Amino acid sequence: MSEASPHPRAILTALPFAAAATLFAARLLPIRFEYVENELGIVSLATLERYPLQQETFWLFAAVALTALVTWALARWLVSRMPFGTAGLVGEGLGTLALLGALWLPPALGVCSAVLFAAALYLVMRGGAASQPDAPDPAPVRPVLARSVAVLVGASLLLALALTGDIFANAWSVAHGFSDESRVMRGFPFMGEIGQHLAWGNALRNGELHGKDFFCLYGPLYDLGLVGAWELFGRSIVVWDLYFSATRVVALTALLVLAGLLVERRALVLLLPFLVPWISLRSGWALIGLCFMLGWLRSRHWGMAAAAGVTAGISLLFSQEFGLAFALVAGLAFALHRAWRPAACFAGGAVLVILPLFGWYAAHDALLPMLQGIVGYPAYVMAGYAKLPFPALASRLPIEFADWGTRELFAYQIGYGVPAVCMSAALLVLPISKFDLRAPLASAARICAALRADPLRTVVLLLSIFGMLAFRTALGRSDLKHLLDPLPAAAVLLVVALDRLIAAARSGCVARPVAAWRVAALALLVFHVGFTAVPAPLRGLRATFATNVALWRNGRAPVGAPLVTQVARWVQLETEVGEPVLFLPNSGAYYYLTNRPAPIRFVMGHQIVTQAHRDEVLAELRANPPRTFVWDEGALRVDGLSDEQVFGQPLLDWLDDNYAEVKRFGPVSIQRHRGRSVLASPESDGI
């Protein structure tokens, strides 16, 4: 929308006042929540601290609704009174001061200052001019030349490779046949996080399937992609490393390309690495889909809609939560444009990906268990699985300088800042000040028409909604990694905002002092939300350069963990090929290292989520007890949860009653079932 139009200036003034009002409401309203025991038997840090799960959902939705409502009402009043030129700074400055007061001042002082700033706004705007006609919107930017897009993709790929320095070391390791023994590490990142995917990939190679034979965390394509990499380069840990690095490169390339398609000044894309520390392909597939959606909105070619559908199918099967968020926003775009044939092409593209995989799983009686896992895992997360207490909307207010940089304050900043950025972008691209309650249908039709006329504005709206939907994953487990997963969408929106500010200044739509003030306000927003706290792209580039120099000079030094290798070799020598072995509590990598199947569906104890799962595990072990059981006393207990809380006392008692130690490697106890004979050492199949 043109800066000569009153709408964006009214929104920029109304938004900080509305945000301040929402923060004051959260601090002053006597709303309290009580912890409700979940009926599934889920145990997490949040349940142990009796954290009320409904609190975060309420405040997130309440903050969005209240901020949007106040923004709309204030913008309606301001739209006919906003002065042009430098005088427009007054209202925006007053709103910014009101919001800063809400963040930094004690409640009473903050409320008083906000009331004073609101009164000053009323006095300034009371004598405003009558409603002024909107200037015609400038033609939207349409850099659609195939050559231009190809250059953008190529440049983005090179930058992504440079910022993902470990991909070169991983490629070197694959090329030089780096052994598994030289790559293993003792610790949860390898034994647990990486180990679970190694175990699942190994299970797939051995004919097992998600849901039916092992726990389904993400969509099946995540692990099938690893199996494909093993088919190309051979089964090894370093191939997993290369596969994971490649997914990060693809995801970062998608992020850079999407931003480049949405801005006029593509050099601004270089700001993204300073805002986003990492991005995974779980959300990256959705960003690729949004690129195709932008292509469809510009060209209206059915092929682009079909390509977006194919991407949606891959995204749904790669990471169900992000895939569903993308499918919903794509459906919104088709509904907005009443484009039913392109929507059918989109659906057809998704079915083209989903149907063969579903058919394969159905043929092996694994479709229903796999779907139950895909749906069940997010449901368990929403019910409290792996849940960390999430800060309430007013819990960290007022901000204290002494708290700056702490994990608690950072979680609060990102936790509410990312949805706030996404919602602000949505309110800016939607001319909500034109929505009139006296003529709701006609005014809504005008708003939809304005969106249909501008593909860039539509994609910004889709991206902002996607960012808010994707933030549900961060609410599930609000540690640093998961809080940063939805960050890319908000980062792109900030870069687009900066691009439009520069465009408005250069075109003369706004005075340069106004543009400079808004750039400063945008920087202040970035600072408060905490975008710059984690990313260190220059350090990453230096690391890439140093890694490549070291590889060229000396090759790659082995890591290795003798203890892990000793355990794996003993199990291979003392068990038969194909014989199930139980590894607990959180050492999934052993299933890969020993090439032995799990006797239960869970390769990590932390994935035994509910009481039904605990009962299932105990029943399976009683029915078919494995001859060998390996217990690692030094393995990480996620969030410090005790073994009794994770496994339940009946399972632990059964293990104690039925197994006796026959070998020990430091903290690792190898035990045999008391009622089953020890076989002679069978032929080893190699680690």
Side-chain angles (χ1 to χ4, degrees):
M1 176 167 285
S2 167
E3 278 291 336
S5 167
H7 168 72
R9 291 177 287 115
I11 294 294
L12 289 173
T13 299
L15 262 174
F17 275 110
T22 301
L23 292 177
F24 288 133
R27 295 170 78 172
L28 300 176
L29 290 177
I31 299 177
R32 299 293 180 267
F33 299 89
E34 293 184 358
Y35 171 73
V36 178
E37 197 80 41
N38 73 83
E39 298 178 355
L40 298 174
I42 293 173
V43 179
S44 65
L45 196 60
T47 64
L48 294 179
E49 294 185 9
R50 305 188 65 80
Y51 166 75
L53 294 178
Q54 70 273 26
Q55 170 181 283
E56 65 191 27
T57 305
F58 172 84
W59 281 121
L60 192 61
F61 282 99
V64 169
L66 183 57
T67 303
L69 181 62
V70 176
T71 300
W72 167 77
L74 187 54
R76 288 283 295 174
W77 180 77
L78 288 170
V79 76
S80 62
R81 294 170 172 81
M82 291 298 295
F84 285 90
T86 309
L89 287 173
V90 176
E92 296 174 22
L94 291 172
T96 302
L97 291 173
L99 180 55
L100 290 175
L103 291 171
W104 290 93
L105 297 178
L109 189 56
V111 170
C112 291
S113 65
V115 171
L116 289 176
F117 293 135
L121 177 69
Y122 175 78
L123 294 175
V124 169
M125 300 302 170
R126 186 177 57 175
S131 180
Q132 298 150 336
D134 288 357
D137 287 350
V141 182
R142 300 178 185 271
V144 294
L145 294 178
R147 183 175 180 180
S148 175
V149 174
V151 170
L152 173 63
V153 173
S156 299
L157 177 59
L158 290 175
L159 180 58
L161 286 168
L163 291 168
T164 313
D166 59 352
I167 192 170
F168 301 104
N170 295 333
W172 185 95
S173 300
V174 171
H176 289 79
F178 215 61
S179 67
D180 283 350
E181 292 94 328
S182 299
R183 171 63 182 84
V184 297
M185 291 182 290
R186 180 164 171 78
F188 188 74
F190 175 78
M191 297 301 294
E193 290 286 352
I194 295 174
Q196 63 185 355
H197 292 290
L198 292 173
W200 293 332
N202 203 59
L204 284 167
R205 290 182 79 249
N206 292 332
E208 297 182 352
L209 293 171
H210 295 83
K212 176 184 177 183
D213 302 301
F214 57 88
F215 184 70
C216 189
L217 182 65
Y218 304 132
L221 285 186
Y222 195 105
D223 300 309
L224 285 168
L226 170 60
V227 175
W230 278 346
E231 292 298 319
L232 288 174
F233 302 110
R235 175 186 175 274
S236 70
I237 298 172
V238 291
V239 170
W240 153 263
D241 294 335
L242 181 61
Y243 167 69
F244 183 69
S245 297
T247 63
R248 290 177 57 204
V249 169
V250 173
L252 182 54
T253 301
L255 175 69
L256 297 170
V257 169
L258 177 60
L261 292 173
L262 291 173
V263 298
E264 288 184 75
R265 293 148 196 85
R266 287 181 172 167
L268 294 178
V269 170
L270 296 174
L271 294 175
L272 282 173
F274 292 90
L275 301 174
V276 181
W278 63 73
I279 176 174
S280 73
L281 199 52
R282 291 181 60 206
S283 58
W285 281 118
L287 301 183
I288 295 172
L290 286 171
C291 291
F292 285 125
M293 287 299 298
L294 178 58
W296 171 75
L297 287 165
R298 285 169 166 165
S299 66
R300 298 308 174 94
H301 193 281
W302 67 268
M304 286 291 179
V310 169
T311 309
I314 296 173
S315 184
L316 282 165
L317 293 175
F318 196 88
S319 180
Q320 60 272 42
E321 294 162 296
F322 289 97
L324 180 60
F326 169 61
L328 289 174
V329 298
L332 176 64
F334 291 123
L336 176 68
H337 288 264
R338 301 170 188 163
W340 312 124
R341 289 183 180 179
C345 293
F346 178 92
V351 169
L352 189 66
V353 173
I354 294 172
L355 195 58
L357 188 68
F358 277 18
W360 179 42
Y361 272 73
H364 293 83
D365 298 322
L367 179 60
L368 184 58
M370 184 264 286
L371 291 177
Q372 288 174 335
I374 286 181
V375 175
Y377 172 67
Y380 296 146
V381 170
M382 293 183 69
Y385 167 56
K387 177 69 184 170
L388 299 175
F390 192 77
L393 185 56
S395 62
R396 305 301 302 179
L397 297 178
I399 297 174
E400 300 286 347
F401 282 108
D403 293 336
W404 202 263
T406 62
R407 187 263 176 202
E408 292 77 11
L409 181 58
F410 181 74
Y412 178 82
Q413 291 171 287
I414 292 292
Y416 291 100
V418 169
V421 169
C422 293
M423 184 186 66
S424 299
L427 294 175
L428 278 166
V429 297
L430 282 171
I432 61 168
S433 61
K434 295 183 179 180
F435 182 75
D436 190 348
L437 288 176
R438 294 169 297 181
L441 295 180
S443 56
R446 286 194 295 270
I447 292 173
C448 291
L451 285 173
R452 285 193 291 267
D454 191 341
L456 294 184
R457 182 187 298 176
T458 302
V459 173
V460 168
L461 177 63
L462 299 183
L463 184 61
S464 63
I465 297 174
F466 170 78
M468 287 188 279
L469 292 174
F471 196 76
R472 177 63 244 181
T473 62
L475 292 180
R477 179 168 177 80
S478 51
D479 59 358
L480 179 62
K481 177 189 178 300
H482 291 85
L483 280 172
L484 294 178
D485 277 345
L487 198 65
V492 172
L493 294 172
L494 289 172
V495 171
V496 172
L498 180 60
D499 178 69
R500 301 318 299 155
L501 286 174
I502 296 173
R506 297 193 64 178
S507 65
C509 290
V510 297
R512 291 186 182 273
V514 176
W517 148 253
R518 290 178 180 172
V519 170
L522 190 64
L524 190 64
L525 171 65
V526 170
F527 172 74
H528 272 82
V529 173
F531 278 93
T532 58
V534 179
L538 298 180
R539 185 169 57 196
L541 290 173
R542 287 196 300 270
T544 299
F545 178 77
T547 298
N548 290 333
V549 170
L551 283 174
W552 182 70
R553 289 178 177 175
N554 308 311
R556 187 179 186 185
V559 182
L563 174 65
V564 175
T565 302
Q566 287 176 327
V567 172
R569 285 195 179 281
W570 192 96
V571 170
Q572 286 179 321
L573 290 170
E574 299 296 332
T575 62
E576 295 180 319
V577 175
E579 177 185 344
V581 178
L582 179 63
F583 295 96
L584 291 176
N586 289 309
S587 303
Y590 279 126
Y591 290 107
Y592 165 85
L593 294 171
T594 61
N595 197 23
R596 297 295 186 262
I600 57 177
R601 287 194 302 126
F602 308 96
V603 299
M604 287 207 306
H606 179 59
Q607 295 163 354
I608 301 174
V609 179
T610 67
Q611 186 57 47
H613 289 161
R614 298 183 195 102
D615 294 341
E616 171 195 329
V617 168
L618 183 55
E620 288 184 354
L621 292 177
R622 280 173 170 168
N624 296 291
R627 192 165 56 96
T628 305
F629 162 50
V630 180
W631 178 266
D632 187 351
E633 296 171 357
L636 175 74
R637 273 58 171 181
V638 178
D639 296 331
L641 299 179
S642 69
D643 297 328
E644 292 79 6
Q645 291 164 332
V646 174
F647 299 106
Q649 195 61 49
L651 175 58
L652 295 177
D653 289 342
W654 184 86
L655 292 171
D656 286 340
D657 293 340
N658 288 274
Y659 288 87
E661 182 175 285
V662 295
K663 186 70 176 178
R664 174 172 285 270
F665 294 95
V668 179
S669 172
I670 301 179
Q671 304 179 28
R672 291 286 195 179
H673 193 273
R674 300 178 190 274
R676 302 185 63 175
S677 62
V678 179
L679 301 179
S681 298
E683 181 182 353
S684 171
D685 56 335
I687 185 173

